[in-house]
Amino acid sequence: MQFAIVIMAAGKGTRLKSKRAKVLHEAGGKTLLRHVTDAARQVVPPEDIYIIVGHQAEQVQSSLGRLGVNFVRQTEQRGTGHAIQQARDAVSRYENIIVLSGDAPLIRPETILQMRDFHLAQRSSMTVLTAFPENPFGYGRVVRRTEDAEQVQAIIEQKDLTPEQTSMGEINSGFYVFRREPLYAHIDELESKNAQAEFYLTDMAGILTAAGERVTAIKAADPDEVLGANTMEEMMDLDGRLRRRSAQILMSKGVTIFRPETTVIDADVTVGADTVIEPFVQLLGETKVGQDCRIRSYSVIENSTLGDRVLVRNGCTITQSTIGDGAFIGPYAHLRPDSEIGEGAHVGNFVETKNVRMGKGSKANHLTYLGDAQIGSQVNIGAGVITCNYDGVNKNPTVIGDRVFVGSDSTLVAPVELGSGSYVAAGSCITEDVPEDALALARARQTIKPGWAKMRRAKHTK
Ligand code: UD1
Ligand code: CA
């Protein structure tokens, strides 16, 4: 049976007091809407997903990139019922429609499927997902039918509750399944005679019940899943929950995370078993970490791939880079975009790399800048070596062959090539290519003046 998923994401989110549309705010490393869309994509193919956009529509659409989902415009935001009215033509070929709120990012695909299956088993025209949160304030409340508790009489918004009704604890999550035919047969009966002068989708519960259609409710297994955010404080609470969820998933797969409450792990990060993550580590974006690694405190790793048995010591920043199996990084190394560190390589203290390919077993252990460089295997880069890759106008490449030894404090003025097996004497400023197996010495010759220091001291003590 074909289902469409409609995600409502056209609202502004006035209560956040932000210039940015609410669904574009980030929690757990992704926008709220991206979380909901990713959950939807686990349930139906992207061509069956319809996102209602209105406020900052262009930004909302482009935030989802090329996922292949559809967009429906709601040019004026006149309420959730009005939002679903706009989708009438777009979803006309489906038998059932799942409606999700773009501002409730904790929803899991399992829960969407449960709601769908319940809806089908109950042969309902409308099913609403409900929960009993600690504090129901602000949510719409679900009134069950007295003669059959499985069925819903109506949903009443917080602002429209009578004082006696405020004690009702079962809330509307904002997630629903509808049979398309009765939904659109009755949706034009919605009125905006309410506290917010909006067309409430929630009123469909009362309208369909009155029309003799079956409206049912299913309770979410985890009440947290329905949480949204209306204030920044609530947004950061969602962020904490999403990151705790990521850490819990990783721990259930054999990853050790010391003090998980201090780590910041985005939802799409993967980590292999037996890897240890120390306190205050951030793993962001699409980062992938292999097995048996150790990530020490205060390292921030973003959109990068680490092999197995990699050691990242304290305080490293690693962005859009790849690190081979068994490599050692840091402490305090900065791997900027497009650094490819080979198997077993060492990148040590205060080393900065950018657009570098470093071969197997090569070492740059101390105080070095390597930019736009291709470095072979088993190379030794001495302390303080600098690739001078920028001439003020262009970036130029440095090519270093296998088994090259670059003495400490050398500068390599690019474009320049050091042939395999060559040797650069410490303190050299290399401006010309060095042939294979040659020694390059490019520094002033040392002079010795015997007794000079003693004479100077004598002059000054006079
Ligand atoms: C809604 C429900 C409430 C429920 C709560 C759960 C209604 C009337 N109320 O209230 O019962 O407890 O969700 O979180 O539905 N949107 C549009 N177009 C609009 C208005 C809203 O696309 O014209 C989108 C918003 O961007 C948002 C979602 O619909 O993603 C929900 O709208 P919101 O205004 O946040 O509704 P709530 O007040 O939270
Ligand atoms: Ca909301």
Side-chain angles (χ1 to χ4, degrees), residues 157-232:
E157 291 305 292
Q158 173 76 40
K159 288 182 178 156
D160 301 296
L161 291 171
T162 63
E164 308 84 73
Q165 288 172 323
T166 54
S167 64
M168 294 192 301
E170 184 167 24
I171 64 113
N172 165 27
S173 67
F175 302 124
Y176 320 85
V177 189
F178 290 97
R179 227 156 41 77
R180 184 191 55 79
E181 196 271 317
L183 168 66
Y184 284 107
H186 293 280
I187 200 164
D188 295 330
E189 294 165 31
L190 288 175
E191 292 181 30
S192 56
K193 284 187 236 146
N194 52 50
Q196 304 185 82
E198 285 185 354
F199 294 96
Y200 291 163
L201 183 60
T202 47
D203 284 348
M204 288 312 298
I207 290 173
L208 289 171
T209 297
E213 298 285 342
R214 186 171 171 80
V215 179
T216 52
I218 175 175
K219 215 180 100 187
D222 173 7
D224 290 354
E225 253 181 89
V226 310
L227 291 176
N230 289 317
T231 62
M232 276 304 174

Side-chain angles (χ1 to χ4, degrees), residues 7-15 21-23 32-33 36 51-55 72 74 76-84 86 99-104 128-129 136-142 155-160 170-176 194 196 198-203 226-230:
I7 304 175
M8 300 182 292
K12 181 167 192 279
T14 314
R15 290 162 287 187
K22 190 207 278 192
V23 294
L32 302 188
L33 178 59
V36 179
I51 301 182
I52 315 261
V53 293
H55 185 72
V72 174
Q74 184 193 18
E76 263 183 291
Q77 289 80 57
R78 301 176 65 195
T80 48
H82 182 252
I84 296 303
Q86 311 311 305
V99 174
L100 306 178
S101 287
D103 65 347
V128 49
L129 184 75
F137 182 83
Y139 290 95
R141 306 305 156 74
V142 175
I155 302 172
I156 308 170
E157 291 305 292
Q158 173 76 40
K159 288 182 178 156
D160 301 296
E170 184 167 24
I171 64 113
N172 165 27
S173 67
F175 302 124
Y176 320 85
N194 52 50
Q196 304 185 82
E198 285 185 354
F199 294 96
Y200 291 163
L201 183 60
T202 47
D203 284 348
V226 310
L227 291 176
N230 289 317

Side-chain angles (χ1 to χ4, degrees), residues 190-458:
L190 288 175
E191 292 181 30
S192 56
K193 284 187 236 146
N194 52 50
Q196 304 185 82
E198 285 185 354
F199 294 96
Y200 291 163
L201 183 60
T202 47
D203 284 348
M204 288 312 298
I207 290 173
L208 289 171
T209 297
E213 298 285 342
R214 186 171 171 80
V215 179
T216 52
I218 175 175
K219 215 180 100 187
D222 173 7
D224 290 354
E225 253 181 89
V226 310
L227 291 176
N230 289 317
T231 62
M232 276 304 174
E233 193 183 350
E234 286 169 7
M235 189 72 76
M236 291 307 103
D237 177 61
L238 288 185
D239 180 75
R241 286 171 194 272
L242 284 159
R243 296 193 193 282
R244 222 169 303 145
R245 188 190 268 178
S246 315
Q248 277 161 358
I249 292 170
L250 294 179
M251 289 189 282
S252 76
K253 294 180 176 165
V255 179
T256 301
I257 305 180
F258 288 110
R259 307 296 299 274
E261 71 278 15
T262 68
T263 59
V264 176
I265 300 177
D266 284 354
D268 295 334
V269 169
T270 62
V271 182
D274 296 309
T275 282
V276 176
I277 297 170
E278 294 191 0
F280 297 101
V281 163
Q282 298 193 27
L283 302 177
L284 308 176
E286 314 250 304
T287 292
K288 293 182 174 49
V289 179
Q291 301 189 2
D292 300 301
C293 295
R294 189 172 190 104
I295 315 292
R296 307 215 52 189
S297 295
Y298 311 113
S299 289
V300 179
I301 305 179
E302 190 171 357
N303 293 325
S304 295
T305 302
L306 279 60
D308 298 333
R309 301 178 312 284
V310 172
L311 170 62
V312 177
R313 296 194 179 93
N314 300 11
C316 294
T317 301
I318 300 174
T319 310
Q320 275 176 56
S321 292
T322 309
I323 300 174
D325 294 345
F328 288 6
I329 310 294
Y332 310 108
H334 187 184
L335 272 52
R336 292 167 53 204
D338 300 316
S339 297
E340 263 179 47
I341 309 302
E343 215 181 301
H346 292 189
V347 174
N349 326 245
F350 304 105
V351 172
E352 175 182 348
T353 65
K354 197 218 74 186
N355 185 26
V356 158
R357 254 144 294 294
M358 191 186 230
K360 209 167 163 176
S362 289
K363 292 176 183 164
N365 273 327
H366 330 268
L367 302 158
T368 285
Y369 172 63
L370 299 170
D372 301 305
Q374 195 164 331
I375 300 169
S377 60
Q378 308 301 332
V379 169
N380 199 312
I381 306 281
V385 168
I386 292 172
T387 53
C388 307
N389 59 326
Y390 185 54
D391 58 16
V393 184
N394 295 309
K395 296 287 178 64
N396 299 298
T398 299
V399 178
I400 302 179
D402 296 338
R403 300 176 317 281
V404 170
F405 182 97
V406 184
S408 294
D409 196 31
S410 294
T411 49
L412 308 175
V413 181
V416 73
E417 188 167 345
L418 311 181
S420 297
S422 64
Y423 201 105
V424 172
S428 292
C429 175
I430 300 294
T431 55
E432 285 164 35
D433 289 352
V434 179
E436 278 186 24
D437 298 318
L439 165 67
L441 253 163
R443 63 189 184 209
R445 184 172 285 280
Q446 182 170 332
T447 28
I448 296 282
K449 300 190 175 178
W452 182 93
K454 194 176 176 188
M455 267 162 53
R456 182 173 180 275
R457 272 196 304 276

